[in-house]
Structure formats: structure tokens, C-alpha cells
Amino acid sequence: MAKKSGIKDLKGFKTKLKKRIVDNPQDHVKDLVRKSATLVEGTIIELLNQPGTGITYQKYQPRREHTASAKGEPPAKDQGILVNSISISVREEKNAVVGKIIASADYAPFLEFGTSKIEKRPFMQPGLERNRPQIKRIFKKGGYVD
């Protein structure tokens, strides 16, 4: 006796299938990666625009008062160089679509990871972690994740 097989939820199957069939899959993936990278970029910029809660001290050239971030917090905005250095790049690399969020200020890695003299002030990784669920939803809605 042959066992019958079939699709129990035909409407749901068609919906999932429709999501997976796109005219230009490479461009579709690029769009999903770009949306995700833009989301993370926005969060990083938001984190970098928060006021510091650490020590307040006088800075020079130009003369100003600055409240630093406490250790473990994202860097407090001073002149805006770091926040203005944040950008995204989405491109194809070896049959993959790669999205990058870039902090091009030369001191960005020292703030993110710390040094022997500076406690870390992470902002890139927290920006990604805060958006991980939204990124999963973007790819699920785009038909690339179940």
C-alpha cells in the first residue's frame, strides 16, 4: 500500500514559496543586507550621541567642558568625529553579499576594544546585538530564514 504525501497547508506553502522566488535574488539579498546594515548604523549613531555619565573635565583646542563616558558605556560625544566616521558598505565578495559597518576614525578600535590604559567603550558590537532580532525578521520576511 502506497503512503500518501501532500502539503497540508497549501496557502502557507504558496506564501513561503512566493517569498523565495524573486526576479533578481542577488539584488534582493543586497537590499536585505543594506536594510540590516542601515538599522545597525542608526543604532550605533544613537549610542554615540548619548551624553556621558563619567567624569566631567575641561578640554582645550577648542576650549570646552566634556563629560566622558563611564567604563563599559559607549564613548560620549565630544566633537562628533567618531559619530561622523560611521558608514556602511554593501557589496558582493566571492559569491556572497557582505554588509559592513565602518568606524573610520583612527581611534575607533581603541574605544571599542580598550587598551592597556583605556577601558573599553563598546559601541559597534552593542549596535549589532540590539538589532539581531530585527535583522532576523528582515531576512525572514525576505524569505531567507524560516
Side-chain angles (χ1 to χ4, degrees):
M1 177 182 270
K3 184 178 178 184
K4 288 186 177 182
S5 63
I7 299 169
K8 291 181 182 178
D9 179 14
L10 187 58
K11 186 177 179 182
F13 175 77
K14 285 180 179 179
T15 302
K16 284 183 179 181
L17 186 61
K18 205 178 227 183
K19 283 182 182 178
R20 292 179 189 264
I21 298 174
V22 292
D23 292 334
N24 189 335
Q26 198 73 5
D27 284 346
H28 183 62
V29 171
K30 275 185 185 176
D31 287 342
L32 299 176
V33 171
R34 187 171 289 107
K35 283 179 187 176
S36 300
T38 301
L39 190 65
V40 174
E41 177 192 35
T43 300
I44 290 168
I45 290 169
E46 184 181 301
L47 289 170
L48 292 174
N49 279 318
Q50 293 177 357
T53 61
I55 299 167
T56 299
Y57 58 97
Q58 193 68 36
K59 291 187 89 172
Y60 303 93
Q61 294 180 345
R63 187 177 181 94
R64 65 200 179 278
E65 193 174 83
H66 175 68
T67 302
S69 58
K71 70 178 183 178
E73 289 182 352
K77 187 175 178 181
D78 184 18
Q79 293 183 296
I81 295 168
L82 180 60
V83 73
N84 289 325
S85 82
I86 306 298
S87 63
I88 63 169
S89 166
V90 176
R91 64 178 189 230
E92 293 177 43
E93 292 180 10
K94 297 181 182 178
N95 295 323
V97 177
V98 178
K100 295 179 183 177
I101 295 94
I102 302 143
S104 61
D106 57 354
Y107 54 89
F110 305 125
L111 292 170
E112 180 75 14
F113 303 110
T115 68
S116 60
K117 296 179 182 180
I118 302 170
E119 291 286 339
K120 63 182 175 179
R121 303 289 196 277
F123 57 99
M124 299 288 277
Q125 190 65 35
L128 173 62
E129 294 305 324
R130 286 189 185 186
N131 288 290
R132 196 173 292 277
Q134 293 93 314
I135 292 168
K136 286 181 181 178
R137 281 195 293 275
I138 287 169
F139 279 87
K140 186 174 184 174
K141 188 176 179 184
Y144 286 90
V145 178
D146 285 331

mmCIF file of all heavy atoms in Angstrom, residues 41-53 66-67 69 73-86 122-123 130:
data_model
loop_
_atom_site.group_PDB
_atom_site.id
_atom_site.type_symbol
_atom_site.label_atom_id
_atom_site.label_comp_id
_atom_site.label_asym_id
_atom_site.label_seq_id
_atom_site.Cartn_x
_atom_site.Cartn_y
_atom_site.Cartn_z
ATOM 1 N N GLU A 41 23.693 50.721 11.782
ATOM 2 C CA GLU A 41 24.360 52.025 11.708
ATOM 3 C C GLU A 41 23.590 53.070 12.519
ATOM 4 O O GLU A 41 24.175 53.840 13.285
ATOM 5 C CB GLU A 41 24.469 52.469 10.250
ATOM 6 C CG GLU A 41 25.084 53.851 10.080
ATOM 7 C CD GLU A 41 24.922 54.384 8.664
ATOM 8 O OE1 GLU A 41 23.885 54.114 8.011
ATOM 9 O OE2 GLU A 41 25.834 55.091 8.215
ATOM 10 N N GLY A 42 22.270 53.083 12.362
ATOM 11 C CA GLY A 42 21.440 54.045 13.096
ATOM 12 C C GLY A 42 21.543 53.864 14.601
ATOM 13 O O GLY A 42 21.614 54.835 15.359
ATOM 14 N N THR A 43 21.575 52.618 15.047
ATOM 15 C CA THR A 43 21.695 52.347 16.478
ATOM 16 C C THR A 43 23.057 52.783 17.002
ATOM 17 O O THR A 43 23.164 53.352 18.084
ATOM 18 C CB THR A 43 21.452 50.852 16.771
ATOM 19 O OG1 THR A 43 20.142 50.515 16.323
ATOM 20 C CG2 THR A 43 21.582 50.547 18.251
ATOM 21 N N ILE A 44 24.108 52.521 16.238
ATOM 22 C CA ILE A 44 25.452 52.934 16.649
ATOM 23 C C ILE A 44 25.512 54.451 16.781
ATOM 24 O O ILE A 44 26.027 54.978 17.768
ATOM 25 C CB ILE A 44 26.509 52.412 15.652
ATOM 26 C CG1 ILE A 44 26.627 50.894 15.775
ATOM 27 C CG2 ILE A 44 27.861 53.083 15.880
ATOM 28 C CD1 ILE A 44 27.425 50.238 14.668
ATOM 29 N N ILE A 45 24.960 55.154 15.820
ATOM 30 C CA ILE A 45 24.946 56.621 15.874
ATOM 31 C C ILE A 45 24.158 57.098 17.088
ATOM 32 O O ILE A 45 24.569 58.025 17.782
ATOM 33 C CB ILE A 45 24.402 57.205 14.552
ATOM 34 C CG1 ILE A 45 25.437 56.974 13.441
ATOM 35 C CG2 ILE A 45 24.051 58.681 14.697
ATOM 36 C CD1 ILE A 45 24.938 57.257 12.040
ATOM 37 N N GLU A 46 23.047 56.437 17.361
ATOM 38 C CA GLU A 46 22.243 56.765 18.543
ATOM 39 C C GLU A 46 23.060 56.558 19.823
ATOM 40 O O GLU A 46 23.050 57.399 20.720
ATOM 41 C CB GLU A 46 21.001 55.875 18.547
ATOM 42 C CG GLU A 46 20.014 56.150 19.642
ATOM 43 C CD GLU A 46 18.844 55.178 19.553
ATOM 44 O OE1 GLU A 46 18.165 55.156 18.515
ATOM 45 O OE2 GLU A 46 18.633 54.439 20.534
ATOM 46 N N LEU A 47 23.764 55.442 19.909
ATOM 47 C CA LEU A 47 24.596 55.158 21.084
ATOM 48 C C LEU A 47 25.682 56.219 21.263
ATOM 49 O O LEU A 47 25.978 56.638 22.382
ATOM 50 C CB LEU A 47 25.258 53.776 20.960
ATOM 51 C CG LEU A 47 24.358 52.559 21.103
ATOM 52 C CD1 LEU A 47 25.106 51.289 20.714
ATOM 53 C CD2 LEU A 47 23.815 52.449 22.518
ATOM 54 N N LEU A 48 26.283 56.648 20.152
ATOM 55 C CA LEU A 48 27.369 57.627 20.218
ATOM 56 C C LEU A 48 26.884 59.039 20.508
ATOM 57 O O LEU A 48 27.680 59.897 20.872
ATOM 58 C CB LEU A 48 28.172 57.600 18.914
ATOM 59 C CG LEU A 48 28.970 56.326 18.661
ATOM 60 C CD1 LEU A 48 29.600 56.356 17.279
ATOM 61 C CD2 LEU A 48 30.032 56.121 19.739
ATOM 62 N N ASN A 49 25.599 59.285 20.350
ATOM 63 C CA ASN A 49 25.053 60.614 20.626
ATOM 64 C C ASN A 49 24.519 60.752 22.044
ATOM 65 O O ASN A 49 24.033 61.821 22.421
ATOM 66 C CB ASN A 49 23.965 60.965 19.614
ATOM 67 C CG ASN A 49 24.542 61.471 18.317
ATOM 68 O OD1 ASN A 49 25.493 62.247 18.316
ATOM 69 N ND2 ASN A 49 24.002 61.029 17.205
ATOM 70 N N GLN A 50 24.606 59.686 22.837
ATOM 71 C CA GLN A 50 24.150 59.762 24.225
ATOM 72 C C GLN A 50 25.174 60.532 25.061
ATOM 73 O O GLN A 50 26.375 60.409 24.835
ATOM 74 C CB GLN A 50 23.961 58.368 24.807
ATOM 75 C CG GLN A 50 22.833 57.601 24.166
ATOM 76 C CD GLN A 50 22.707 56.197 24.720
ATOM 77 O OE1 GLN A 50 23.481 55.752 25.548
ATOM 78 N NE2 GLN A 50 21.702 55.485 24.247
ATOM 79 N N PRO A 51 24.696 61.302 26.030
ATOM 80 C CA PRO A 51 25.643 62.030 26.876
ATOM 81 C C PRO A 51 26.407 61.074 27.785
ATOM 82 O O PRO A 51 25.913 60.014 28.159
ATOM 83 C CB PRO A 51 24.740 62.962 27.698
ATOM 84 C CG PRO A 51 23.400 62.311 27.672
ATOM 85 C CD PRO A 51 23.310 61.554 26.392
ATOM 86 N N GLY A 52 27.620 61.465 28.115
ATOM 87 C CA GLY A 52 28.430 60.660 29.023
ATOM 88 C C GLY A 52 27.947 60.781 30.458
ATOM 89 O O GLY A 52 27.286 61.752 30.832
ATOM 90 N N THR A 53 28.259 59.766 31.256
ATOM 91 C CA THR A 53 27.869 59.781 32.672
ATOM 92 C C THR A 53 29.096 59.668 33.577
ATOM 93 O O THR A 53 28.963 59.447 34.768
ATOM 94 C CB THR A 53 26.908 58.615 32.987
ATOM 95 O OG1 THR A 53 27.574 57.386 32.717
ATOM 96 C CG2 THR A 53 25.634 58.712 32.157
ATOM 97 N N HIS A 66 33.743 68.702 28.925
ATOM 98 C CA HIS A 66 33.340 67.419 28.360
ATOM 99 C C HIS A 66 33.048 66.440 29.489
ATOM 100 O O HIS A 66 33.817 66.326 30.436
ATOM 101 C CB HIS A 66 34.457 66.856 27.472
ATOM 102 C CG HIS A 66 34.174 65.484 26.951
ATOM 103 N ND1 HIS A 66 33.184 65.236 26.029
ATOM 104 C CD2 HIS A 66 34.734 64.289 27.235
ATOM 105 C CE1 HIS A 66 33.167 63.938 25.759
ATOM 106 N NE2 HIS A 66 34.098 63.332 26.484
ATOM 107 N N THR A 67 31.925 65.740 29.365
ATOM 108 C CA THR A 67 31.607 64.652 30.295
ATOM 109 C C THR A 67 31.896 63.351 29.573
ATOM 110 O O THR A 67 31.256 63.030 28.575
ATOM 111 C CB THR A 67 30.138 64.703 30.751
ATOM 112 O OG1 THR A 67 29.896 65.976 31.372
ATOM 113 C CG2 THR A 67 29.839 63.586 31.743
ATOM 114 N N SER A 69 32.406 59.190 29.011
ATOM 115 C CA SER A 69 31.572 58.024 29.295
ATOM 116 C C SER A 69 32.203 57.247 30.442
ATOM 117 O O SER A 69 33.407 57.307 30.657
ATOM 118 C CB SER A 69 31.475 57.133 28.055
ATOM 119 O OG SER A 69 32.757 56.733 27.639
ATOM 120 N N GLU A 73 30.460 51.888 28.895
ATOM 121 C CA GLU A 73 29.443 52.622 28.128
ATOM 122 C C GLU A 73 30.009 52.995 26.763
ATOM 123 O O GLU A 73 31.223 53.081 26.601
ATOM 124 C CB GLU A 73 29.075 53.938 28.828
ATOM 125 C CG GLU A 73 28.287 53.805 30.081
ATOM 126 C CD GLU A 73 27.936 55.174 30.665
ATOM 127 O OE1 GLU A 73 28.441 56.218 30.171
ATOM 128 O OE2 GLU A 73 27.164 55.200 31.623
ATOM 129 N N PRO A 74 29.135 53.266 25.784
ATOM 130 C CA PRO A 74 29.647 53.780 24.504
ATOM 131 C C PRO A 74 30.350 55.119 24.740
ATOM 132 O O PRO A 74 30.041 55.828 25.697
ATOM 133 C CB PRO A 74 28.382 53.994 23.669
ATOM 134 C CG PRO A 74 27.346 53.144 24.306
ATOM 135 C CD PRO A 74 27.693 53.094 25.770
ATOM 136 N N PRO A 75 31.300 55.472 23.880
ATOM 137 C CA PRO A 75 32.010 56.736 24.049
ATOM 138 C C PRO A 75 31.053 57.922 24.023
ATOM 139 O O PRO A 75 30.121 57.951 23.223
ATOM 140 C CB PRO A 75 32.955 56.798 22.853
ATOM 141 C CG PRO A 75 32.974 55.436 22.272
ATOM 142 C CD PRO A 75 31.734 54.743 22.697
ATOM 143 N N ALA A 76 31.288 58.872 24.897
ATOM 144 C CA ALA A 76 30.479 60.090 24.914
ATOM 145 C C ALA A 76 30.918 60.993 23.767
ATOM 146 O O ALA A 76 32.104 61.091 23.460
ATOM 147 C CB ALA A 76 30.649 60.811 26.242
ATOM 148 N N LYS A 77 29.961 61.636 23.138
ATOM 149 C CA LYS A 77 30.258 62.526 22.017
ATOM 150 C C LYS A 77 31.022 63.744 22.511
ATOM 151 O O LYS A 77 30.665 64.351 23.514
ATOM 152 C CB LYS A 77 28.958 62.952 21.343
ATOM 153 C CG LYS A 77 29.151 63.745 20.080
ATOM 154 C CD LYS A 77 27.807 63.999 19.433
ATOM 155 C CE LYS A 77 27.937 64.832 18.191
ATOM 156 N NZ LYS A 77 26.629 65.087 17.593
ATOM 157 N N ASP A 78 32.079 64.075 21.795
ATOM 158 C CA ASP A 78 32.842 65.270 22.128
ATOM 159 C C ASP A 78 32.746 66.239 20.954
ATOM 160 O O ASP A 78 31.917 67.133 20.958
ATOM 161 C CB ASP A 78 34.293 64.905 22.447
ATOM 162 C CG ASP A 78 35.127 66.087 22.906
ATOM 163 O OD1 ASP A 78 34.537 67.111 23.305
ATOM 164 O OD2 ASP A 78 36.363 65.991 22.869
ATOM 165 N N GLN A 79 33.514 66.018 19.920
ATOM 166 C CA GLN A 79 33.456 66.898 18.755
ATOM 167 C C GLN A 79 32.693 66.267 17.585
ATOM 168 O O GLN A 79 32.530 66.886 16.549
ATOM 169 C CB GLN A 79 34.866 67.279 18.310
ATOM 170 C CG GLN A 79 35.565 68.162 19.338
ATOM 171 C CD GLN A 79 36.925 68.592 18.852
ATOM 172 O OE1 GLN A 79 37.807 67.770 18.656
ATOM 173 N NE2 GLN A 79 37.080 69.887 18.649
ATOM 174 N N GLY A 80 32.259 65.032 17.725
ATOM 175 C CA GLY A 80 31.466 64.388 16.687
ATOM 176 C C GLY A 80 32.280 63.696 15.607
ATOM 177 O O GLY A 80 31.713 63.241 14.610
ATOM 178 N N ILE A 81 33.589 63.589 15.793
ATOM 179 C CA ILE A 81 34.434 62.960 14.770
ATOM 180 C C ILE A 81 34.098 61.481 14.629
ATOM 181 O O ILE A 81 33.929 60.977 13.521
ATOM 182 C CB ILE A 81 35.932 63.175 15.094
ATOM 183 C CG1 ILE A 81 36.258 64.662 15.013
ATOM 184 C CG2 ILE A 81 36.814 62.360 14.163
ATOM 185 C CD1 ILE A 81 37.604 65.046 15.589
ATOM 186 N N LEU A 82 33.979 60.772 15.749
ATOM 187 C CA LEU A 82 33.687 59.341 15.701
ATOM 188 C C LEU A 82 32.315 59.077 15.084
ATOM 189 O O LEU A 82 32.186 58.264 14.172
ATOM 190 C CB LEU A 82 33.765 58.736 17.100
ATOM 191 C CG LEU A 82 33.473 57.241 17.210
ATOM 192 C CD1 LEU A 82 34.451 56.428 16.369
ATOM 193 C CD2 LEU A 82 33.515 56.791 18.662
ATOM 194 N N VAL A 83 31.306 59.767 15.560
ATOM 195 C CA VAL A 83 29.946 59.542 15.045
ATOM 196 C C VAL A 83 29.861 59.873 13.557
ATOM 197 O O VAL A 83 29.177 59.189 12.798
ATOM 198 C CB VAL A 83 28.879 60.289 15.876
ATOM 199 C CG1 VAL A 83 28.899 61.775 15.636
ATOM 200 C CG2 VAL A 83 27.495 59.732 15.617
ATOM 201 N N ASN A 84 30.589 60.877 13.119
ATOM 202 C CA ASN A 84 30.582 61.244 11.699
ATOM 203 C C ASN A 84 31.411 60.289 10.844
ATOM 204 O O ASN A 84 31.330 60.340 9.614
ATOM 205 C CB ASN A 84 31.061 62.682 11.503
ATOM 206 C CG ASN A 84 30.042 63.686 11.997
ATOM 207 O OD1 ASN A 84 28.844 63.456 11.891
ATOM 208 N ND2 ASN A 84 30.505 64.785 12.558
ATOM 209 N N SER A 85 32.199 59.438 11.483
ATOM 210 C CA SER A 85 33.015 58.478 10.728
ATOM 211 C C SER A 85 32.272 57.161 10.464
ATOM 212 O O SER A 85 32.792 56.300 9.771
ATOM 213 C CB SER A 85 34.323 58.185 11.476
ATOM 214 O OG SER A 85 34.146 57.222 12.499
ATOM 215 N N ILE A 86 31.063 57.013 10.998
ATOM 216 C CA ILE A 86 30.300 55.772 10.834
ATOM 217 C C ILE A 86 29.661 55.735 9.448
ATOM 218 O O ILE A 86 29.012 56.694 9.028
ATOM 219 C CB ILE A 86 29.205 55.644 11.924
ATOM 220 C CG1 ILE A 86 29.790 55.770 13.326
ATOM 221 C CG2 ILE A 86 28.422 54.339 11.754
ATOM 222 C CD1 ILE A 86 30.783 54.707 13.702
ATOM 223 N N PRO A 122 32.567 49.919 24.233
ATOM 224 C CA PRO A 122 31.995 49.303 23.033
ATOM 225 C C PRO A 122 30.775 50.051 22.483
ATOM 226 O O PRO A 122 29.935 50.515 23.241
ATOM 227 C CB PRO A 122 31.620 47.899 23.504
ATOM 228 C CG PRO A 122 31.505 47.991 24.977
ATOM 229 C CD PRO A 122 32.410 49.100 25.420
ATOM 230 N N PHE A 123 30.731 50.148 21.180
ATOM 231 C CA PHE A 123 29.590 50.777 20.507
ATOM 232 C C PHE A 123 29.198 50.008 19.253
ATOM 233 O O PHE A 123 28.026 49.961 18.906
ATOM 234 C CB PHE A 123 29.888 52.246 20.171
ATOM 235 C CG PHE A 123 31.113 52.454 19.323
ATOM 236 C CD1 PHE A 123 31.000 52.653 17.959
ATOM 237 C CD2 PHE A 123 32.388 52.451 19.883
ATOM 238 C CE1 PHE A 123 32.134 52.832 17.174
ATOM 239 C CE2 PHE A 123 33.520 52.635 19.115
ATOM 240 C CZ PHE A 123 33.398 52.823 17.752
ATOM 241 N N ARG A 130 21.821 44.751 19.652
ATOM 242 C CA ARG A 130 20.478 45.326 19.852
ATOM 243 C C ARG A 130 19.561 45.077 18.666
ATOM 244 O O ARG A 130 18.346 45.098 18.801
ATOM 245 C CB ARG A 130 20.575 46.833 20.109
ATOM 246 C CG ARG A 130 21.073 47.175 21.474
ATOM 247 C CD ARG A 130 20.930 48.647 21.727
ATOM 248 N NE ARG A 130 21.526 48.997 23.002
ATOM 249 C CZ ARG A 130 21.447 50.190 23.537
ATOM 250 N NH1 ARG A 130 20.807 51.164 22.903
ATOM 251 N NH2 ARG A 130 22.009 50.433 24.702
#
